[in-house]
Amino acid sequence: MQEESRLVLAGRHSERFAGLVNTPVFRGSTVLHASLAAWEDKKKRRAADEHGASTYGRFGTPTHHALEEAVAEIEGGYRALLYPSGLSACATALTSLLAAGDHVLLTDSAYAPTRGFLTRVLGRFNVDVSVYDPTIGAGIEALMRPNTRVVYVESPGSETFEVQDVPAIAAVARRHGARVVMDNTWGTPLFFKPFAHGVDVSVQAATKYIVGHSDAMLGVLTCNQETWPLIKRTSQDMGMTAGPDDAYLALRGLRTMAVRLQQHWKGGVEVAQWLQARPEVEAVLHPALPGDPGHALWKRDFRGACGLFAVVLNPVSAGALEAFVDSLQLFGLGVSWGGYESLVIPFNPVGERSATQWPYHGQALRLHVGLEAPADLIADLEQGFAALARAESSNQQRRSA
């Protein structure tokens, strides 16, 4: 079955809900049982890990279970669980697989809050963190220790867009008895199949492309069969749960993800190629562009690209940068990505890295290309560059006066 069809069908059981196409929103904490025998039977089914056998709202409702089933099927994993945010999913995965005295290898391109959780929280419990160059590939062998339990990958990095050789890293980790946790938010379940590439646990901020409309916060962990009991136990011990309304919005978004991602992919590449030709631009960081350092790995391992990439401007004054960003009409200034709207946010990884050096000199901007017409987005950027030029000219005149 084609992926587009799987996205439409996965997790749907209309026969359970009076023929309704969409699984309804089930809000509730208490689950009543008709008899003591029914209660005992449900407990046995839960103990046997039967999917959907919930005795309490914290363990999920049919709304949650429908989304978990769908994501696990599409991503190619064994089971999935929902969380109130992408970060809480990352934190739960790491807490599940690490203990005092363990060592974790973390890519230098990781989402900053994930890095913060490891160093500020798990570091207090004697978990040792080493940061590695995301382009290391099989060379990660030299960094493995007897107590290395997790190798954390994020490919591509959601700020600087290095593509990692996930299969090579996973092969090394497996030889050393370590597990691979991957942030797969950029690739989505549609464009990167983590379990086919050796990953043990896949983390996604479902807030992004699965929800797709910037109106819900949600995380999801998909596990292989070996890691599932650990993830499930820790999730329940920590009381992790997500709201049913957010799960419903994610289910709705999932059904149209293939169509939306095609537009994000097409629009993102078109805007990125236009930016490559601009004199104001030092570099465009987009794995789907030929010539990008990660393009060969992207082409080998990914089935597509989303709308998120970065551009580095040639050095300009702070006032000129401000004029550029503030003049944009279609690119909103805001955190997050994956919704239908285009966004821009300045960033500077200098000082955040410890295993690699940022090679560029100008201001970096992360762009998310939404579902607007690419021609309109290009026109918006073009007038933004005109505003930048005017501000830079005015600044030079003041300096020479």
Side-chain angles (χ1 to χ4, degrees):
M1 184 182 293
Q2 297 296 310
E3 289 288 76
E4 293 85 350
S5 299
R6 289 161 68 89
L7 280 171
V8 171
L9 296 171
R12 280 177 50 194
H13 299 284
S14 58
E15 72 282 358
R16 301 176 186 172
F17 309 114
L20 291 171
V21 171
N22 294 309
T23 304
V25 179
F26 284 84
R27 303 182 187 92
S29 54
T30 301
V31 179
L32 296 178
H33 300 77
S35 64
L36 182 59
W39 165 253
E40 295 294 343
D41 178 66
K42 180 70 76 66
K43 287 201 301 180
K44 288 178 183 177
R45 287 164 53 202
R46 274 205 68 228
D49 206 23
E50 181 179 321
H51 187 72
S54 180
T55 56
Y56 185 50
R58 180 161 52 81
F59 304 132
T61 70
T63 315
H64 298 89
H65 300 150
L67 179 59
E68 292 166 350
E69 180 185 337
V71 172
E73 178 182 337
I74 296 161
E75 203 166 20
Y78 174 65
R79 296 280 283 274
L81 280 171
L82 303 183
Y83 300 84
S85 69
L87 179 58
S88 63
C90 293
T92 304
L94 293 165
T95 304
S96 301
L97 303 177
L98 293 166
D102 287 347
H103 174 240
V104 57
L105 285 166
L106 174 72
T107 176
D108 211 9
S109 57
Y111 178 51
T114 300
R115 187 173 188 149
F117 175 78
L118 273 168
T119 57
R120 292 191 296 270
V121 179
L122 292 189
R124 292 191 287 112
F125 297 95
N126 198 29
V127 171
D128 191 13
V129 182
S130 296
V131 179
Y132 68 90
D133 183 338
T135 64
I136 199 170
I140 203 167
E141 183 105 42
L143 304 180
M144 301 296 292
R145 303 177 187 173
N147 63 333
T148 302
R149 296 291 175 260
V150 168
V151 179
Y152 192 94
V153 302
E154 180 177 314
S155 183
S158 61
E159 197 173 67
T160 49
F161 299 94
E162 299 93 338
V163 180
Q164 298 192 251
D165 192 340
V166 175
I169 291 171
V172 172
R174 184 164 290 106
R175 285 198 301 272
H176 288 265
R179 296 185 173 101
V180 177
V181 178
M182 178 177 183
D183 187 328
N184 193 35
T185 306
W186 192 94
T188 78
L190 196 62
F191 286 160
F192 188 85
K193 302 297 182 182
F195 300 95
H197 291 89
V199 171
D200 296 286
V201 179
S202 173
V203 184
Q204 290 180 80
T207 305
K208 310 299 195 287
Y209 286 111
I210 293 179
V211 169
H213 293 78
S214 302
D215 55 4
M217 296 289 294
L218 199 69
V220 60
L221 280 184
T222 309
C223 314
N224 60 16
Q225 194 163 359
E226 179 188 2
T227 58
W228 165 252
L230 298 170
I231 299 291
K232 178 189 174 187
R233 182 72 270 163
T234 302
S235 299
Q236 294 182 353
D237 287 344
M238 295 175 67
M240 285 292 180
T241 189
D245 294 271
D246 288 349
Y248 178 86
L249 290 170
L251 268 172
R252 186 184 64 176
L254 190 74
R255 306 308 180 192
T256 63
M257 190 169 67
V259 179
R260 289 185 285 105
L261 278 173
Q262 287 297 321
Q263 181 65 16
H264 286 297
W265 179 8
K266 174 179 176 294
V269 168
E270 189 172 337
V271 172
Q273 288 174 329
W274 180 83
L275 284 165
Q276 280 185 315
R278 293 294 303 193
E280 302 90 348
V281 171
E282 181 180 357
V284 176
L285 311 179
H286 194 315
L289 296 182
D292 185 272
H295 180 69
L297 286 174
W298 172 82
K299 193 171 182 180
R300 185 192 73 182
D301 294 342
F302 286 77
R303 302 182 180 189
C306 68
L308 192 73
F309 65 96
V311 58
V312 183
L313 302 181
N314 288 315
V316 294
S317 66
L321 176 68
E322 183 177 6
F324 172 74
V325 173
D326 288 353
S327 70
L328 296 175
Q329 300 299 309
L330 298 184
F331 287 87
L333 180 61
V335 179
S336 198
W337 43 281
Y340 58 84
E341 77 285 8
S342 291
L343 295 169
V344 60
I345 194 79
F347 71 93
N348 183 4
V350 175
E352 297 177 358
R353 299 298 186 95
S354 56
T356 56
Q357 288 189 336
W358 181 241
Y360 304 106
H361 302 97
Q363 175 64 55
L365 299 167
R366 191 178 70 177
L367 300 180
H368 178 251
V369 170
L371 301 181
E372 303 92 343
D376 291 333
L377 296 174
I378 288 171
D380 192 31
L381 290 167
E382 190 164 31
Q383 66 83 29
F385 283 130
L388 180 150
R390 289 192 299 271
E392 192 71 344
S393 176
S394 176
N395 184 59
Q396 289 174 356
Q397 288 174 5
R398 283 196 301 270
R399 285 203 303 260
S400 61

